[in-house]
Amino acid sequence: AFALAAVAVLMLRRRAPGGALDVASEGPRLGEPTELARWLPRSDGRLRLAVFTSAGCRLCATLAPAVERLVDADRVVLRTYEQQRDHEVWASIEVPGAPYAVVVAADGTVLAKGTINTERQLRGVVEGAHAAAGLPMISITGPDSRRQFLGKATALAGAVAAAPVVGALIKPGEAQAFHICGHIYTTDGCPHPTGLPRIDSRGLPLRAADGARVDDLGRLIDASDLPIDDGGRPLVDPDGRRLPPAPRTSVCQQAARMFGIKARIDGSWYRCCDGHVRKLTDCCTPSSRRINGDPGLTGYCHGGRKVFCVLYFDTKVKC
């Protein structure tokens, strides 16, 4: 059963964005007991579905009827967790963003999980959990039917069962889809001095956690671009002399320099994240390959350029 569960997750990852996005390093670990179980209602034999939402997330509201349909079909026991109200629950399993779904068995084992953008993806997570638990599954309407899903799963089950570590089948960096605030996209983020590719309105790097300004070395900087610590105190050398400033370069341009190509920002798209509009931006190049090695896509690029990597800017516009 566990091998079949792994197959389900493997298939969901590979067909993203059609399937829910599950990155191994995010959320609770598959096939293991989870701290989440103590917050979920006790099971009467049905699987327990946890859906993570945010008050400012319009996509979460759009998916609410789909969640209720699963409950009405008597397939799952549901509990929703809002980001601010239930921050302790969010933190306990390191939820990557809303909307996110986790299906837990009666004994507290995680059967399936993933970032969901559509009803189809939500049903895919629940269907995969039912397969792992050996229960009748819910059909997914459309081209990926239950019969097709089972046929593919059966063909892959042997290979998965033979793998020494199921989690090693797909490493986080090898996933074929990525997400920022639940939005699935098919190339990785641009290289950034502090990790997630958050930028300001000019394309310069910001620390993702709090939007603080950083230089190309990832150091916090003051209004004069001089490095400081988290408390706002100047960084100094062993002799007490203040460290000099480092360059602060457009993240898109820095990516271009690293890979020896030309790049520019052509266009963007938007979604609602934590109550504010987030602007997701394509870093575009003449390169025919994306940063993750996949063939280039046009995306929001112009003039024959293709998407190389993705970055984002958090606006102050409420949504």
Side-chain angles (χ1 to χ4, degrees):
F2 184 69
L4 186 56
V7 170
V9 174
L10 174 63
M11 291 173 63
L12 288 174
R13 284 174 174 168
R14 284 185 173 173
R15 68 183 185 181
L21 174 64
D22 171 23
V23 177
S25 60
E26 296 179 343
R29 295 179 64 86
L30 281 175
E32 296 184 5
T34 173
E35 183 76 5
L36 175 62
R38 70 188 181 96
W39 280 288
L40 284 166
R42 291 189 177 183
S43 173
D44 55 1
R46 291 175 291 170
L47 300 184
R48 296 181 286 174
L49 170 64
V51 176
F52 294 85
T53 67
S54 175
C57 172
R58 291 185 181 178
L59 181 56
C60 300
T62 300
L63 284 171
V67 174
E68 292 301 324
R69 280 192 284 274
L70 287 175
V71 177
D72 292 342
D74 208 30
R75 294 289 189 176
V76 294
V77 177
L78 170 70
R79 178 66 59 84
T80 60
Y81 300 94
E82 198 279 324
Q83 186 174 18
Q84 298 300 321
R85 183 191 66 220
D86 302 304
H87 63 275
E88 184 181 0
V89 185
W90 275 62
S92 72
I93 63 167
E94 300 180 344
V95 175
Y100 191 76
V102 180
V103 184
V104 178
D107 64 358
T109 301
V110 177
L111 298 174
K113 62 186 176 106
T115 297
I116 51 175
N117 280 262
T118 66
E119 180 172 0
R120 184 176 182 178
Q121 291 171 356
L122 171 63
R123 286 181 174 269
V125 172
V126 176
E127 185 176 60
H130 276 75
L135 299 172
M137 295 195 297
I138 304 169
S139 296
I140 299 178
T141 58
D144 291 313
S145 68
R146 174 176 175 271
R147 180 172 296 177
Q148 290 171 317
F149 183 87
L150 281 173
K152 294 174 185 176
T154 301
L156 286 171
V160 174
V165 180
V166 173
L169 286 173
I170 294 184
K171 298 177 182 178
E174 297 172 348
Q176 293 186 349
F178 306 85
H179 69 95
I180 297 175
C181 191
H183 181 91
I184 293 177
Y185 54 95
T186 54
T187 186
D188 207 347
C190 300
H192 189 281
T194 64
L196 288 176
R198 183 173 179 177
I199 58 173
D200 64 15
S201 59
R202 296 182 295 161
L204 302 177
L206 299 176
R207 188 164 64 179
D210 55 10
R213 300 168 72 245
V214 295
D215 60 23
D216 288 351
L217 299 178
R219 305 176 301 180
L220 293 179
I221 54 177
D222 62 17
S224 300
D225 290 346
L226 292 169
I228 56 176
D229 63 18
D230 281 331
R233 295 176 292 270
L235 294 183
V236 297
D237 65 17
D239 295 323
R241 293 173 296 196
R242 189 159 193 177
L243 295 180
R248 189 169 183 240
T249 312
S250 159
V251 175
C252 180
Q253 292 301 320
Q254 189 74 345
R257 292 177 185 177
M258 291 175 64
F259 288 86
I261 57 178
K262 295 181 179 180
R264 58 179 289 176
I265 293 174
D266 282 340
S268 305
W269 70 104
Y270 302 85
R271 67 176 296 113
C272 186
C273 296
D274 299 328
H276 290 83
V277 173
R278 176 168 289 181
K279 178 181 179 182
L280 295 106
T281 301
D282 290 335
C283 180
C284 306
T285 78
S287 172
S288 61
R289 311 296 294 182
R290 286 175 275 176
I291 194 170
N292 59 349
D294 291 342
L297 298 174
T298 300
Y300 290 86
C301 300
H302 308 292
R305 289 177 289 276
K306 303 289 183 67
V307 179
F308 184 67
C309 55
V310 175
L311 30 85
Y312 72 93
F313 167 62
D314 280 337
T315 76
K316 295 182 180 180
V317 178
K318 293 185 177 181
C319 54

